[in-house]
Amino acid sequence: MGGFGALKWLLTTPNQFAGVGLLSPVVDVQTFYEENAQLLPDFDLIFDKNNYPDFYQKLRRVKLAKNQKLYHSIGDTDFLKNQNDRMAEFLSNHVRCQYQYHIYKGGHDWQSWDVELQRMLQWLIE
């Protein structure tokens, strides 16, 4: 499951998880679509253009517990970095759980995620 799915699942059932990791997630679906529409011809089959998921709105309503952990990371060359930086600032100011944002060297690829996944798992079990 990708970072988008992990965040969506967390916000749907927040009490089910002690910790969640988000690696290179799409956190702003509308911006993602506007910037990448040509790459995603089937996008409209998945999302309603008039009702994109709004994680910011959901995060304002969902109360994460202080003992829950949220690990969020993005590569310094990942094409999703700007929207993740904005989300990180929001999360730092609006969630009360244990939140960690990490910018790793690399992009939106499995080579980077393989290393980052190990770092994320170590943080989650500490």
Side-chain angles (χ1 to χ4, degrees):
M1 172 187 315
F4 171 87
L7 182 57
K8 185 176 179 183
W9 200 4
L10 171 67
L11 295 175
T12 302
T13 56
N15 297 324
Q16 295 285 324
F17 304 97
V20 172
L22 312 174
L23 304 181
S24 302
V26 172
V27 293
D28 183 342
V29 177
Q30 183 170 352
T31 299
F32 178 76
Y33 176 72
E34 291 167 358
E35 294 175 353
N36 301 286
Q38 73 283 2
L39 301 175
L40 304 162
D42 297 334
F43 194 85
D44 294 336
L45 298 174
I46 302 168
F47 297 104
D48 175 1
K49 286 172 73 170
N50 299 315
N51 191 23
Y52 291 119
D54 184 346
F55 289 137
Y56 291 93
Q57 181 184 40
K58 290 181 182 194
L59 282 161
R60 283 185 189 96
R61 289 193 317 246
V62 169
K63 302 296 183 212
L64 300 175
K66 287 183 181 181
N67 64 339
Q68 285 179 293
K69 289 185 155 190
L70 179 57
Y71 186 90
H72 176 198
S73 67
I74 193 75
D76 60 355
T77 61
D78 194 314
F79 71 100
L80 296 171
K81 186 172 182 307
N82 289 338
Q83 64 174 261
N84 276 272
D85 287 344
R86 286 189 300 273
M87 177 59 79
E89 183 177 342
F90 177 86
L91 289 168
S92 294
N93 294 315
H94 290 89
V95 298
R96 62 184 193 145
C97 69
Q98 299 172 54
Y99 176 65
Q100 172 73 36
Y101 185 55
H102 182 250
I103 299 170
Y104 57 86
K105 187 167 181 65
H108 197 89
D109 58 73
W110 279 107
Q111 183 177 0
S112 299
W113 296 329
D114 186 46
V115 174
E116 189 59 17
L117 183 60
Q118 295 171 48
R119 183 179 290 119
M120 176 198 69
L121 292 172
Q122 184 61 42
W123 186 80
L124 287 172
I125 63 172
E126 288 176 348

